[in-house]
Amino acid sequence: MLKKILTAAALATLLWSPAGAQQIDGAGATFPYPLYAKWAEAFNGQTGIKVNYQSIGSGGGIKQIKSKTVDFGATDMPLPVDELKESGLVQFPMVMGGVVPVVNVRGIEPDQLRLTGTVLADIFLAKIAKWNDKAIADLNPGLALPSQAIAVVHRSDGSGTTFIFAEYLSKVSPEWKEKVGASTSVKWPTGLGGKGNEGVAATTQRTNGAIGYVEYAYAKQNKMAHALMGNREGEFVAPNSESFQSAAAFAEWEKAPGFNLLLTDQPGKKSWPITGATFILMHVKAEKADSSKRALQFFEWSYKNGGAMADNLDYVPMPPKVVQMVQQVWRTVTGPDGKPVYTGAAGM
Amino acid sequence: MTSIPATTAIEARIGRWARGQKRYDTAFRLGTTFFALLVLVLLGGVIVALVEGAAPALAKFKLGFLVTEEWNPVTDEFGALAPIYGTLVTSAIAMLIGVPISFGIALFITELCPPWLKRPIGTAIELLAGIPSIIYGIWGLFVFAPLLQDTVQPLLIDSLGNLPGIGFLFGGPPLGIGIFTAGLIFAIMVLPFITLVMRDVFETVPALLKESAYGLGATTWEVMWNIVLPYTRGGVMGGIMLGLGRALGETMAVTFVIGNAHDIHASLLAPGTTISAALANEFTEATTDIYLSSLIALGLILFIITFSVLVLAKLMLLRLQRSQGT
């Protein structure tokens, strides 16, 4: 008898626990994955809610949220307002970061080489093929540049990083815009492809005379020779959280419906020109109100408590002004009963 | 007197037992038939899924898909020529280098090797076959490619690159990674497979045949070329095809070392891509439907290439057997 009761109790616990463990499912961009994973862990520790984020890529994230298999999608390439309306989605920026050009030329240290947007575009267009080309030498008097072929390294997989980089080149070089354009993957005029940020970093480090582009965190952690970029004001700035934040501060989010805003080539003397944000996508009409509520709870918590963790991983938190705007958007997310699923941090 | 009912009882028991066995037999036959047919169903299912997925791309680009080099995700223009070229050329390099070396190793092990060395070499090759391809890729990128860039490739460019006729194959700057490096890595990867098959079939040659030839004064090479190889032709061909199959479908290692560029260059040292590398790289972020469909179409083409290679090998074998008259 006792045995039976014990078995029943054990069975009940087994059946109960999955229902009791609350979970949020998300999928998408790989760029913010390290940060989302860190946030998720800390959030789980405080609330017991598990965030299951799959970094399958922005394209995959958009597909998954449209087919409603996840509670939220994540993308580095913001969707245009029309597409958001059509699919019944809301979009908001979660965190920002910078893309930095990295080089591997003997004798060049981090923050030594100076480049401008047009020169960078010409290198990636294969119009500048040698390191001692006059265009590069003119920007870098006093730097010994070798007569070596430039090996361009780019992403071989589709990526939000590529989108931010190509979008910047499109802004500063009409020829790039016409011949290549901007997307998560493009038709590269030249170069070697590496898979993922780590692939580009590894290929650049192993190839003499290489130039590539990676997320700032990868350049910093691998101690790669990142270049100084000339920004819109003609100032040469180094990539760091200060210069990323400067670019973000000049962004006019209020003028961008659906937060469809790109942060490249922003004004400001200290602004890093190749800055970008990564976005969350959710359905306006939530089928599972509880899940959507928990997801918004997670994002609110992350805005509030995740700043230090973002800093540690070299991401840039959203400014408070933008967070307030995002919170307004959250109120438009309604459950099947037509009421907003989440009305602020009161429930926490 | 008593033996008669006993016999019938035994007979009845045997009969029951036999009927039971027959049922088991039928069940067993049906079971195994089902498993065998399952393979055909799976194969058919894969073909149907590939054709269905590839249909939008093939409908849009028609046969031009096969002969266009353009691969532009921004404008949604796709052509498969560069990956097809890369797949065929890297596999060809792998075979050109891998087959003679494998033949040499197998010959050494079966004919010339001192007995105490046989086991260590055999085990080493088996271990080589067991290394996951991603390890080859990482090793290729971090160790092999820089070595090629600094030493082998400049040498090739300065020597072979100046030869008339084939010089264009070795032009351009030494990048370390590219079609040539991928081919070399492939050669190392297929080597153990081909070697092991060759060794095993060489060992099936009756000692009598070989000893007769040696008795007539034949050299080791003559025995190998005139006795062993004709005797084991089918097995050797099978080993080569096994290696070729692996090279054609290889994914992770090639992604690391080929450069992943959708271009066709005359130079073998330039970056390129293969079908499987393109699939591995681009599936995650194939945002438009036609992009995804084009990638599936690439998969279908790889399927057809592998299938044709298999068919060609079988045909070649048939013709060889016929000309031999056996």
Side-chain angles (χ1 to χ4, degrees):
Chain A
M1 192 61 198
L2 187 70
K3 208 176 167 189
K4 256 188 188 168
I5 294 172
L6 279 178
T7 326
L11 203 68
T13 340
L14 268 179
L15 289 175
W16 187 249
S17 47
Q22 299 171 316
Q23 187 170 320
I24 319 165
D25 296 310
T30 49
F31 153 58
Y33 172 67
L35 181 59
Y36 289 177
K38 193 131 199 182
W39 279 349
E41 197 192 324
F43 183 66
N44 187 22
Q46 285 193 11
T47 62
I49 299 174
K50 208 170 162 247
V51 182
N52 168 28
Y53 181 73
Q54 312 250 335
S55 61
I56 54 172
S58 298
I62 295 169
K63 263 190 215 122
Q64 298 280 318
I65 187 67
K66 279 186 180 168
S67 61
K68 299 185 179 172
T69 49
V70 289
D71 301 319
F72 68 91
T75 174
D76 296 328
M77 184 165 73
L79 294 182
V81 182
D82 300 346
E83 198 176 338
L84 289 174
K85 278 218 177 94
E86 196 182 304
S87 322
L89 294 169
V90 286
Q91 172 171 268
F92 50 88
M94 203 59 220
V95 69
M96 295 174 294
V99 179
V100 301
V102 287
V103 299
N104 174 10
V105 182
R106 282 194 187 111
I108 293 186
E109 304 288 319
D111 290 342
Q112 272 196 346
L113 187 75
R114 290 159 174 247
L115 293 171
T116 62
T118 39
V119 168
L120 195 60
D122 283 350
I123 291 174
F124 275 79
L125 280 167
K127 281 169 72 185
I128 297 176
K130 291 248 180 199
W131 278 109
N132 61 354
D133 189 284
K134 195 172 174 301
I136 304 177
D138 284 350
L139 292 172
N140 297 282
L143 202 59
L145 292 160
S147 162
Q148 191 180 20
I150 299 178
V152 167
V153 183
H154 53 72
R155 289 284 288 266
S156 60
D157 49 340
S159 155
T161 314
T162 297
F163 170 72
I164 294 168
F165 187 73
E167 201 273 331
Y168 168 65
L169 294 185
S170 296
K171 262 188 190 152
V172 294
S173 160
E175 190 177 346
W176 181 273
K177 188 173 186 176
E178 185 202 333
K179 281 192 182 160
V180 185
S183 182
T184 50
S185 41
V186 299
K187 181 176 160 57
W188 296 98
T190 180
L192 308 163
K195 188 163 166 53
N197 273 307
E198 60 280 10
V200 172
T203 309
T204 308
Q205 280 171 315
R206 300 287 147 182
T207 311
N208 275 320
I211 183 168
Y213 61 93
V214 290
E215 286 300 335
Y216 174 61
Y218 280 90
K220 196 179 167 191
Q221 281 153 18
N222 293 318
K223 299 189 175 55
M224 302 181 76
H226 35 73
L228 301 173
M229 285 296 301
N231 64 18
R232 221 160 115 176
E233 317 271 335
E235 300 281 330
F236 285 91
V237 289
N240 50 44
S241 35
E242 191 195 359
S243 59
F244 300 154
Q245 250 154 5
S246 168
F250 282 93
E252 296 176 311
W253 292 100
E254 53 279 287
K255 287 187 187 161
F259 293 102
N260 181 10
L261 182 69
L262 301 159
L263 298 172
T264 51
D265 204 27
Q266 290 291 321
K269 272 188 163 39
K270 283 180 179 171
S271 296
W272 178 254
I274 326 176
T275 306
T278 183
F279 300 83
I280 299 288
L281 295 168
M282 287 179 74
H283 281 282
V284 179
K285 291 211 184 342
E287 279 182 2
K288 290 182 284 179
D290 277 350
S291 302
S292 293
K293 182 185 166 184
R294 279 195 287 272
L296 291 175
Q297 213 175 318
F298 170 59
F299 298 136
E300 170 111 71
W301 180 92
S302 303
Y303 277 145
K304 212 161 137 193
N305 308 307
M309 281 178 260
D311 267 344
N312 280 342
L313 290 170
D314 301 305
Y315 295 89
V316 182
M318 300 307 297
K321 190 178 70 176
V322 182
V323 172
Q324 280 168 15
M325 289 164 59
V326 171
Q327 281 164 340
Q328 292 303 312
V329 170
W330 288 348
R331 290 176 199 286
T332 62
V333 178
T334 54
D337 55 359
K339 288 184 186 147
V341 297
Y342 185 64
T343 46
M348 286 185 78
Chain B
M1 287 290 264
T2 49
S3 74
I4 293 163
T7 327
T8 34
I10 289 169
E11 271 176 354
R13 272 177 69 188
I14 290 177
R16 270 204 306 280
W17 177 78
R19 276 196 298 281
Q21 285 303 94
K22 209 175 166 192
R23 266 205 302 280
Y24 286 134
D25 238 19
T26 318
F28 188 70
R29 199 179 60 236
L30 286 175
T32 46
T33 314
F34 171 73
F35 291 143
L37 287 179
L38 200 62
V39 178
L40 285 181
V41 172
L42 281 175
L43 187 69
V46 169
I47 296 175
V48 168
L50 280 176
V51 170
E52 201 187 340
L58 296 179
K60 187 177 173 196
F61 304 118
K62 311 238 160 40
L63 276 178
F65 188 71
L66 292 173
V67 292
T68 319
E69 196 190 327
E70 180 84 3
W71 186 270
N72 192 337
V74 180
T75 56
D76 271 345
E77 291 294 326
F78 300 103
L81 193 61
I84 293 175
Y85 169 84
T87 304
L88 295 178
V89 172
T90 48
S91 297
I93 295 174
M95 288 298 119
L96 274 178
I97 298 168
V99 171
I101 295 179
S102 303
F103 181 70
I105 298 174
L107 191 159
F108 179 76
I109 294 177
T110 49
E111 298 298 317
L112 302 168
C113 187
W116 60 269
L117 198 59
K118 245 183 187 178
R119 288 286 294 265
I121 291 188
T123 314
I125 293 170
E126 276 156 27
L127 283 176
L128 211 56
I131 297 176
S133 68
I134 185 109
I135 306 289
Y136 282 105
I138 293 172
W139 174 77
L141 177 62
F142 284 93
V143 181
F144 198 52
L147 189 78
L148 283 177
Q149 188 190 15
D150 290 339
T151 56
V152 180
Q153 290 190 346
L155 200 74
L156 282 177
I157 293 167
D158 290 340
S159 55
L160 294 178
N162 296 326
L163 289 180
I166 60 161
F168 65 90
L169 287 176
F170 301 96
L175 294 170
I177 58 183
I179 296 257
F180 179 68
T181 312
L184 284 183
I185 294 275
F186 276 1
I188 299 170
M189 291 178 72
V190 301
L191 208 131
F193 290 91
I194 306 180
T195 307
L196 289 176
V197 173
M198 282 189 180
R199 182 196 64 181
D200 291 348
V201 296
F202 287 172
E203 272 170 358
T204 63
V205 180
L208 184 72
L209 282 179
K210 288 194 280 186
E211 277 160 15
S212 312
Y214 281 125
L216 289 171
T219 61
T220 313
W221 175 252
E222 282 167 341
V223 171
M224 209 60 210
W225 195 251
N226 297 317
I227 309 292
V228 175
L229 207 53
Y231 189 85
T232 57
R233 205 176 269 156
V236 168
M237 194 64 83
I240 294 175
M241 285 306 139
L242 190 70
L244 185 57
R246 178 158 198 205
L248 284 172
E250 179 44 50
T251 309
M252 279 331 289
V254 68
T255 309
F256 277 83
V257 295
I258 197 163
N260 302 307
H262 279 272
D263 300 316
I264 297 175
H265 294 281
S267 172
L268 293 178
L269 305 182
T273 189
T274 69
I275 292 175
S276 46
L279 289 180
N281 274 311
E282 296 174 39
F283 244 120
T284 45
E285 294 275 347
T287 36
T288 62
D289 291 340
I290 199 77
Y291 192 177
L292 193 65
S293 176
S294 299
L295 286 170
I296 297 175
L298 276 186
L300 181 65
I301 293 170
L302 182 61
F303 191 93
I304 294 169
I305 292 177
T306 321
F307 194 74
S308 326
V309 164
L310 217 67
V311 169
L312 270 178
K314 288 262 180 217
L315 283 177
M316 223 151 90
L317 221 59
L318 274 178
R319 257 188 55 193
L320 278 174
Q321 278 167 356
R322 209 170 296 148
S323 68
Q324 217 174 27
T326 48

